[in-house]
Amino acid sequence: MSKICNIIGIIHARGGSVRIPLKNIKPLNGIPLIEYSIKAGLNSRHIRRLIVSTDHRKIREIALNAGAEVPF
């Protein structure tokens, strides 16, 4: 029997970084780094909604294109 989970996943993705600015959108094997986290969250059978919280327009675009919600 499978239980329905009501877990909301949240990824915090700031645009600013002290060491590597905009590291969340830097490509790793041709894919933006944040997209790996988003895909893992979306593929989880435990997470019902995946929200990315960001302060940067480009991170928001990538997150939306990858299937995450970006309500803020």
Side-chain angles (χ1 to χ4, degrees), residues 1-52:
M1 179 186 290
S2 176
K3 287 176 94 176
I4 297 174
C5 294
N6 287 321
I7 297 173
I8 298 174
I10 300 174
I11 299 172
H12 302 278
R14 289 184 1 175
S17 175
V18 174
R19 294 188 182 186
I20 304 172
L22 295 174
K23 68 178 171 240
N24 292 302
I25 62 173
K26 299 284 186 201
L28 178 65
N29 293 325
I31 298 171
L33 189 60
I34 193 169
E35 198 167 321
Y36 288 97
S37 299
I38 293 169
K39 294 298 181 190
L42 292 174
N43 288 327
S44 171
R45 62 185 181 149
H46 301 290
I47 297 175
R48 187 177 63 135
R49 291 177 64 195
L50 184 68
I51 295 172
V52 173

